[in-house]
Each structure stands twice: as structure tokens, then as C-alpha cells.
């Protein structure tokens, strides 16, 4: 039995996904780094107002900013981060439907966890899977495809 994605789009929707995904990663993390500056200023101001209590947020600030960035972007109407939009990518569930905030958050958390153990090897998995999926995509039941080569999105 084939699922909705196998029926609804051709191999063209997967063409160049891995290289585009790597470039989108660079764009997205550059944007996260830019967002860290105003977040750090905000935490500093909160730290002064709370007599130093908010300064304890600094060690986790990157994870909070990046987690919100990816979760909000991936669960948005575009189903993509700004870097993914530039690279013409969108993230769908295996069934072809939109993903929610928690799936977007779990997507980035699982990526961080797997990447910390399998560093460069995490990208090699995509070379051997039929839909160019990485380990965290398979674990969460998601697939990254070219947005312009899909039919109208399903809601």
C-alpha cells in the first residue's frame, strides 16, 4: 500500500533536497544568530529588573531562540523556515498534511540530539533513503520536499 506522498508527487519534488537543505541550514542559523542579539538585550534588561535572576537564562538563550524560531516557522502556513523558503523547501508529514508546533519543536530537538552523537554521519542517511529523509525525519514521520513542485497544499 502506498501512502499519500508516494502517490501525490513525483521524484521531481525530491530533486536537490539534500543540498538545498544544507544551504537552508546555514541561512537559518545565521538568522538565529541575528535574533540572539535582541534576545540577549532583553534578557539583560530583565536581569537588571529582577536583580540578576534573569541572567540565568543566558546559558539556554540559544536553545530557546532557535527552538522557537524553528517550531514557529515549521508550524506556520508556509511549513518552512525562512531559509527553507529561500531554498524552495517545505516540511510535510508522511501523510502529506501540515505539521503542528510540537512536531516542529521535536524536529529541531531531535536534530540536535542526533547531530550531537552522529555529527557528519546524520547527512549520509539522506543519500541512502528513498525520499532523501534524515533520521529525525523518519522518527517523526516528516519529509522535506520542494515547495514549487508540489500540488496545492492539503489542510
Amino acid at each position: 500500500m502506498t501512502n499519500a506522498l508516494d502517490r501525490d508527487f513525483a521524484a521531481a519534488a525530491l530533486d536537490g533536497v539534500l543540498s538545498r537543505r544544507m544551504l537552508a541550514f546555514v541561512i537559518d542559523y545565521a538568522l538565529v544568530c541575528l535574533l540572539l542579539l535582541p534576545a540577549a538585550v532583553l534578557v539583560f534588561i530583565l536581569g537588571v529588573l529582577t536583580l540578576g535572576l534573569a541572567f540565568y537564562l543566558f546559558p539556554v538563550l540559544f536553545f530557546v531562540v532557535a527552538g522557537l524560531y524553528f517550531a514557529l516557522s515549521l508550524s506556520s502556513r508556509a511549513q518552512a523556515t525562512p531559509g527553507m523558503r529561500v531554498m524552495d523547501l517545505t516540511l510535510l508529514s508522511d501523510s502529506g498534511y501540515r505539521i503542528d508546533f510540537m512536531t516542529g519543536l521535536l524536529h529541531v530537538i531531535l536534530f540536535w540530539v542526533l547531530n550531537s552523537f552522529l555529527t557528519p554521519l546524520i547527512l549520509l542517511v539522506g543519500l541512502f533513503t528513498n525520499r532523501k529523509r534524515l533520521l529525525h525525519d523518519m522518527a517523526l514521520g516528516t519529509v522535506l520536499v520542494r515547495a514549487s513542485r508540489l500540488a496545492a497544499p492539503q489542510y
Side-chain angles (χ1 to χ4, degrees), residues 17 75 91:
V17 166
S75 63
L91 187 71

Side-chain angles (χ1 to χ4, degrees), residues 128-149:
F128 301 106
T129 58
N130 62 344
R131 289 200 240 162
K132 312 289 188 222
R133 298 192 316 169
L134 303 182
L135 287 177
H136 58 291
D137 295 325
M138 290 185 275
L140 292 173
T142 58
V143 63
L144 199 63
V145 295
R146 300 277 301 270
S148 64
R149 297 187 182 175

Side-chain angles (χ1 to χ4, degrees), residues 10-88:
L14 299 170
D15 186 38
V17 166
L18 288 178
S19 57
R20 289 171 177 272
R21 183 177 209 157
M22 288 189 298
L23 291 172
F25 172 85
V26 172
I27 293 167
D28 285 328
Y29 276 91
L31 291 173
V32 167
C33 288
L34 287 175
L35 290 173
L36 278 175
L37 184 61
V41 170
L42 179 65
V43 168
F44 179 78
I45 292 169
L46 287 173
V48 171
L49 293 175
T50 61
L51 303 175
L53 190 59
F55 290 144
Y56 289 109
L57 292 174
F58 275 119
V60 296
L61 189 60
F62 172 81
F63 298 106
V64 170
V65 170
L68 287 173
Y69 173 87
F70 283 99
L72 290 171
S73 297
L74 291 175
S75 63
S76 70
R77 188 154 179 80
Q79 293 293 134
T81 63
M84 289 167 60
R85 287 184 209 161
V86 169
M87 299 310 300
D88 185 36

